[in-house]
Amino acid sequence: METKIVSMTEEQPDREALRLAGEILQKGGLVAFPTETVYGLGGDALNPESSKKIYAAKGRPSDNPLIVHIANMEALKKIVKEIPREAYLLADAFWPGPMTMVLPKSDAVPYETTGGLETVAVRMPVHKTALELIECSGGYIAAPSANTSGKPSPTLAKYVIEDLAGKIDMIIDGGFVGIGLESTIIDLTTTPPQILRPGYITEEMLQKVLGKVEWDQAIIDADSKQAPRAPGMKYRHYAPKGELTIVAGPEADVIAYINRHVEEDEQKGEKTGVIATSESAAGYRAQVVRVVGSISNEEEIARNLYGVLREFDEDGVTRIYSEGFWKEGLGEAIMNRLLKAAGHKVVWVGNNK
Ligand code: TXA
Ligand code: MG
């Protein structure tokens, strides 16, 4: 299949291309598009055939449900059986924006879209191109991140092209996404509501609106045998090709440990890489040292993380070490993704042993 690639910005939309993209979606085709979090791979959420095509293009297991993207509150009423008061409160506070709510689904939403569940995940993005595309397509776009299943989510169109060119009808290149990590998912079908995936909208922000919120136990306890309540969270994710280890502890000990191991790895013929901060980068002796951002700027780290992981693949790095970035707020989302990318491999050094 030939994939049409078009470019536009939020400020300068290409209305003709958006109209064409909307038509493709209405006919059951697939279009990748920018959002404020990561690029999405869109299909008509109310068309079971479109959802099947999304799973096939991504190589994604079909028990992993899709998020339905809408552009207004009217649309929510059609796809949700009953809208609880909390949903209106959250929508008021964080929509349009990087927050997804899990709610009981209506009959309009096919099981192909929800992975067989009676609930549906819904998000209203704030990215103008995404919103216009939703309007042009009839109002309901099912969109997982636009990557091959298992790889880091795309923060640039070139990564979408890498994974999906030839497999989908169109890619809208809107440049770099703003946030760089997927939306926060909050499940409103439980009491109290549960965070199923941390993101830019933090626990504290949700608490201000909802009062009590809990974490899905499977996120708090990585070794938990309990299945995560967001089915997608159980799969290995965001993984670079090289083996990734997180090294945690006081900075000097972390640097010493990583440099020692880098040397040993290189003697064995491995190509080594380090994920560092702008403050620590000069201390590392690996073949490839990539700065993910400043230790004091989590937004920068969030924005760069997936790109850095993908670049190690481009460099053919086989052994990667990363510092840990444990912090409240956005730090929760960063570490959640980094831990998954590392398959939860963490080494503690120094006093923190
Ligand atoms: O920021 C985002 O949310 C991006 C952009 C494109 O909007 N989308 C995204 O979709 O991250 P995806 O498919 O990569 O991740 C969706 C997550 C999965 O972990 C899935 O299991 C969970 O949402 N999910 C979807 N529907 C659910 C439901 N009904 N109940 C529980 N979890 C659900
Ligand atoms: Mg994804």
Side-chain angles (χ1 to χ4, degrees), residues 155 176-180 297-307:
T155 48
F176 200 66
V177 297
I179 294 174
N297 187 344
E298 274 106 72
E299 302 211 347
E300 190 184 11
I301 294 175
R303 218 179 300 128
N304 292 326
L305 182 64
Y306 288 150

Side-chain angles (χ1 to χ4, degrees), residues 281-314:
Y284 290 108
R285 292 198 296 268
Q287 282 157 288
V288 183
V289 178
R290 292 205 181 280
V291 173
V292 71
S294 163
I295 190 68
S296 60
N297 187 344
E298 274 106 72
E299 302 211 347
E300 190 184 11
I301 294 175
R303 218 179 300 128
N304 292 326
L305 182 64
Y306 288 150
V308 163
L309 289 172
R310 289 225 179 211
E311 284 167 3
F312 282 121
D313 287 353
E314 287 165 20

Side-chain angles (χ1 to χ4, degrees), residues 182-241:
E182 305 85 345
S183 61
T184 305
I185 303 180
I186 177 101
D187 185 351
L188 293 183
T189 66
T190 59
T191 315
Q194 274 191 15
I195 299 171
L196 306 189
R197 180 172 72 182
Y200 189 83
I201 304 298
T202 63
E203 176 185 20
E204 200 191 343
M205 291 158 81
L206 293 167
Q207 261 163 359
K208 277 197 187 134
V209 177
L210 295 174
K212 200 167 157 45
V213 291
E214 279 178 355
W215 286 84
D216 178 3
Q217 195 56 35
I219 293 181
I220 305 168
D221 177 7
D223 300 324
S224 159
K225 296 284 172 287
Q226 200 178 325
R229 305 212 29 259
M233 299 296 278
K234 74 177 177 241
Y235 295 105
R236 183 157 186 248
H237 258 315
Y238 324 119
K241 290 183 190 131

Side-chain angles (χ1 to χ4, degrees), residues 307-346:
V308 163
L309 289 172
R310 289 225 179 211
E311 284 167 3
F312 282 121
D313 287 353
E314 287 165 20
D315 295 330
V317 170
T318 56
R319 278 274 192 283
I320 308 165
Y321 296 90
S322 178
E323 299 174 13
F325 309 99
W326 276 277
K327 285 211 177 145
E328 307 252 285
L330 188 52
E332 304 264 16
I334 294 167
M335 280 317 290
N336 171 263
R337 307 311 196 275
L338 194 57
L339 283 164
K340 279 181 165 290
H344 287 275
K345 208 164 143 207
V346 185

Side-chain angles (χ1 to χ4, degrees), residues 39-219:
Y39 276 79
L41 169 57
D44 177 356
L46 307 187
N47 178 348
E49 296 311 314
S50 300
S51 293
K52 284 189 201 160
K53 279 191 200 165
I54 292 177
Y55 289 111
K58 274 182 70 87
R60 172 169 176 155
S62 59
D63 67 343
N64 186 357
L66 309 174
I67 294 175
V68 180
H69 295 66
I70 57 173
N72 54 58
M73 287 302 280
E74 268 316 295
L76 188 65
K77 292 180 190 151
K78 174 153 172 187
I79 56 176
V80 170
K81 199 187 248 167
E82 228 175 329
I83 306 177
R85 196 180 134 263
E86 289 81 6
Y88 285 109
L89 296 176
L90 285 178
D92 264 352
F94 306 119
W95 274 1
M99 178 201 61
T100 298
M101 295 191 244
V102 174
L103 293 161
K105 85 171 192 70
S106 76
D107 294 338
V109 186
Y111 288 113
E112 281 78 0
T113 300
T114 67
L117 298 177
E118 293 298 340
T119 55
V120 61
V122 192
R123 172 161 115 79
M124 190 191 294
V126 70
H127 196 289
K128 290 198 185 78
T129 310
L131 285 173
E132 284 202 39
L133 181 64
I134 296 165
E135 305 268 17
C136 291
S137 73
Y140 309 89
I141 299 185
S145 49
N147 51 285
T148 300
S149 189
K151 289 231 249 167
S153 302
T155 48
L156 281 170
K158 76 167 180 178
Y159 298 131
V160 181
I161 293 170
E162 213 171 88
D163 285 9
L164 298 174
K167 297 180 180 167
I168 63 176
D169 300 282
M170 193 193 242
I171 295 173
I172 300 177
D173 183 346
F176 200 66
V177 297
I179 294 174
L181 298 178
E182 305 85 345
S183 61
T184 305
I185 303 180
I186 177 101
D187 185 351
L188 293 183
T189 66
T190 59
T191 315
Q194 274 191 15
I195 299 171
L196 306 189
R197 180 172 72 182
Y200 189 83
I201 304 298
T202 63
E203 176 185 20
E204 200 191 343
M205 291 158 81
L206 293 167
Q207 261 163 359
K208 277 197 187 134
V209 177
L210 295 174
K212 200 167 157 45
V213 291
E214 279 178 355
W215 286 84
D216 178 3
Q217 195 56 35
I219 293 181

